[in-house]
Structure formats: structure tokens, C-alpha cells
Amino acid sequence: MSIMFHVETYLIYSDIGVMSGAMIYIQDDLKITDIQVEILAGIINLYSLIGSWAAGRTSDWIGRRYTILVAQAIFFAGAILMGFATNYAFLMVGRFVAGIGVGYACMIAPVYTAEISPASTRGFLTSFFEVFVNVGILLGYVSNYVCSKLPKHLGWRVMLGVGAVPAVILASVVIWMPESPRWLVMQGRLGDAKRVLDKTADSVEEAQFRLADIKEAAGIPENLTDDVVQVPKHSHGEGVWKELIVHPTPSVRHILIACVGIHFFQQCSGIDSVVLYSPRIFKKAGITSENNMLLATVAVGFTKTMFILVATFLFDKIGRRPLILSSVAGMIFSLATLGFGLTVIDHYHHKIPWAVGLSVAMLLAFVAFFSIGMGPSPVVYSSEIFPLRLRAQGTSIGMAANRLTSGVISMTFISLYKGITIGGAFFLYAGVALVSWVFFYYVLPETRGRTLENIEGLFGNFKWNFPKNRNNNKEVINGNGPNGQVQLGSK
């Protein structure tokens, strides 16, 4: 069910892949400047802040499942508006509407998947958010290549408008998806929550244990077992922002710093600059044919998708920390080497084959290293670390930081490389990635295998090292202990 849900995420992020190639034709057709191109590319991320902010409260009000429908409907409207845009202003209206849909989906996707998944496969299932992000981007790149054969004025409109078609199909599928058991408990619907847990847990014992934990987190006494019970008013969201921002406990403060930090540094690495401006980067690297630029961009999307698939199988095997730290280390190397290759190309008036090859290879290496850990980690990590009462709003804060940072990076890349050269831009991204490695090492504890209700206890200090003895750090992997009993990970 959670994988079906992520197909909706594919719809939204295919727009990012499409916009990468569509910008070439939009600029020629509508005669807009580079500054307007930057705004067009990045403004959807700022618009998505509205959706991210609203989605937290909406999902607590109407449920995670119906919030999915809201996101689909909004994005459908945005895609239609962009497809029929007749000028730049009309196109920006479509971007505004689609951006709100993006914000809704970015917030609700990881929350829903984390809440419905058993601990043993939560990393795998939650990371499928990023899989469908990359599938969407890849197919967006492919559609760019296919639609490039159409007349200029028609091609980019088809690219942007085609996303509305699958949204209609998926809307009919959403009604068959189960609601989040944690949201059901927040509404006092214990009977419905138990039925969902019985279907999604690894065992009957785990389902009972998870229900007891969720009830405790929601403030429902253990002895209340009716199908419908009364719950405290604060479980509907009142007072959450005060607890998150104004008077957080040490553990909540640590969680919020970790959530915002991982989302901020993910986007500061420059990944959206690569995704949105791949054709321009390849042109700077010496690939001048428009056809070859689009094909090389498809290679970027293919590389990202293949490596993100690998990452989904590693999250629950080797953990979050090792993947994040090794991923960022590879990003630092590839970004610095890419900066070197592009700088060499910039300083010569004739083509340098080895520098062109190095730059293309390092661009692909960067997206590979990014996808193996840093790509899916913010979604997986931030969706599981907040306690139940704070999860929707806390996740929306992280996603807002992600979209705001992405918008700034996307809307400044052309101006940045014109100011400090394109090689200098990637040296700057490498420096930011180095700072992020230090942040992750000291701030992020390992959460692999622990139940969502057990994770809050990991936070509250900033001294984290890899466990020296794995036998002393047992975690919930299959949901059962040696005697068939559900176990908690030890601290």
C-alpha cells in the first residue's frame, strides 16, 4: 500500500525532471531572461512552503489518506494550468498551484509511510518516497527528449501538462488505501487502528505492542480497549507548535535541530542545481549539441534512480548513519573533482577531452553518491524521529526547510556560476558538504530497527559514536525476540 502511495510522489517530482529540459524551449518561445528562468525553476519550492505548512494541520484534521487526495487534486489543477499557459504570468500561476501540491505531498508522503510500516522494513518502505522522486525525474527527462521533436511552442506545454493524466487514475486508487493507525488512535478509533496494525505488522504480538505504545503516546489509558474512546484535545494538534518551538524539551530540541539540519544540508549540496540545470552544466562541460545534452541528462536521471534503488535495501541492513556519512564523503570528493574539471575547461578556449570526460564522470558520481544515502535519508530520518504528538507538524517544519533551501539554491545557480564561475560554484557546494559531514557525525544517532515510540529516548545529547559491540545494541529487525517476543532496541 505504501509503495502505491509513492506513485503519487512520482507525479509531482516528474515536474522537476520535465522543467529541466522544458526551460530550454520556454526561454526561446516566451523570450524570457536568465533571471526569469531561475525564478520559474525555483519558485515552485517556495510556493510549496504553503502546502507543507498546511499539510501538517490538514493531515491531523482529515487524516493522512484524504490529505493524499488533496495533494493530487491540487497538483492536477497546477499541471493543467501550466499546460495551457499562454505567457510567463500564466505559467507562474500554474507553478503556484502545483507548488502547493508539491508541499502537501512532500510532507504527507514520509509521515504516512513511516506510520503504517513495521519497524523491520520502515527504512525500506519510507525510502521508496525517494525512489519515486527519482523515477519521476528520470521519466521527466525522457519525456523532454521525446517531446523535443515536437514544435517548440507545443513541446514544452505537452511536457508540463502530461502530469495531470496519471493523477486522475491514482485518485481512484487512494480510497482503497488504509488509514494510518497512529492517526486513527489520535481520533480514538482503537478498533480501526487494531485492524490496520493486524494487517501491516510482522506478527500479532508486534501489532499488540505497537497499539499499546501508540495509545500511551496519545495519552490513552492502557485499560481502555473499546473500539471508540475519548482522547485528550491536544492530540488533535493544539499546543504542538508551542511544544516544538517555544518550550521544547532537550530531546525535542535535538530532534528539531537534526530534522531541519538534515533537510537543509541535503539541498545545500547543490543537488537541485544539477537536476534542474543539467543541460546547462553539460553545455559548460563542452557538450554543445542540444540532442546530446538531453541524452546526457537522461543518464543523470538513470544513475540517480539505480543508486536510490540500492539504498532502499541498505537502510534496514546497515543503518542510517553509515549510509549518510559515506554518502556525504563521496559527494565531497566528486563535487571538488567536478569543480576542478569545469575550471580547467573554463580556462581553455579549445576542447580538453580528458577534462570533459572527468566532468561528466564526476557529475554522474555525485548523483550516485547522493542517491546512495543523502537522497533518501532526510525523508526516512525525519519521518521517524518525532514523537507521535509532534510528528505531522515537526515533519512539515523539516520539509519547509528543505523546500526553502531548494528554492534559494535553484533560483541562484545561474547567477552564482556567472559570479564565481561554474567550477567555483561546485567548489562551494563541496565546502558545504564538508560542513554537513561534521554536523551529521555529531548530531544524528542511529535509529535503525527501533519502534517509532522508542526513538525519542535516543535524543537529548550530541555525542554519538558507532556501537563497538553490536550484540549490546540489539534492535527490532524482524519484530520478534529469540523467544517470539517483541523487543525494544536497548539504549
Side-chain angles (χ1 to χ4, degrees), residues 59-60 62-66 68 108 110-117 177-190 192-197 200 210-211 214 388 391 452-453:
S59 66
D60 278 349
I62 65 173
R64 307 337 188 196
R65 185 176 61 162
Y66 287 110
I68 299 171
I108 195 59
V111 169
Y112 175 84
T113 308
E115 290 187 347
I116 206 168
S117 305
M177 297 167 60
E179 184 52 83
S180 158
R182 288 173 173 83
W183 182 82
L184 291 171
V185 171
M186 289 168 63
Q187 310 307 306
R189 295 163 57 184
L190 301 186
D192 291 337
K194 183 180 183 302
R195 283 186 283 274
V196 174
L197 286 169
T200 59
R210 287 172 63 189
L211 180 60
I214 297 168
L388 173 63
R391 185 166 300 134
L452 295 181
E453 288 68 38

Side-chain angles (χ1 to χ4, degrees), residues 51-84:
S52 259
W53 173 81
R57 191 58 183 265
T58 303
S59 66
D60 278 349
W61 178 38
I62 65 173
R64 307 337 188 196
R65 185 176 61 162
Y66 287 110
T67 303
I68 299 171
L69 279 173
V70 172
Q72 287 180 344
I74 295 173
F75 185 75
F76 172 84
I80 292 295
L81 288 172
M82 289 189 292
F84 285 96

Side-chain angles (χ1 to χ4, degrees), residues 6 37 205 322 341 377 478:
H6 286 314
V37 168
E205 292 80 7
S377 290
N478 295 315

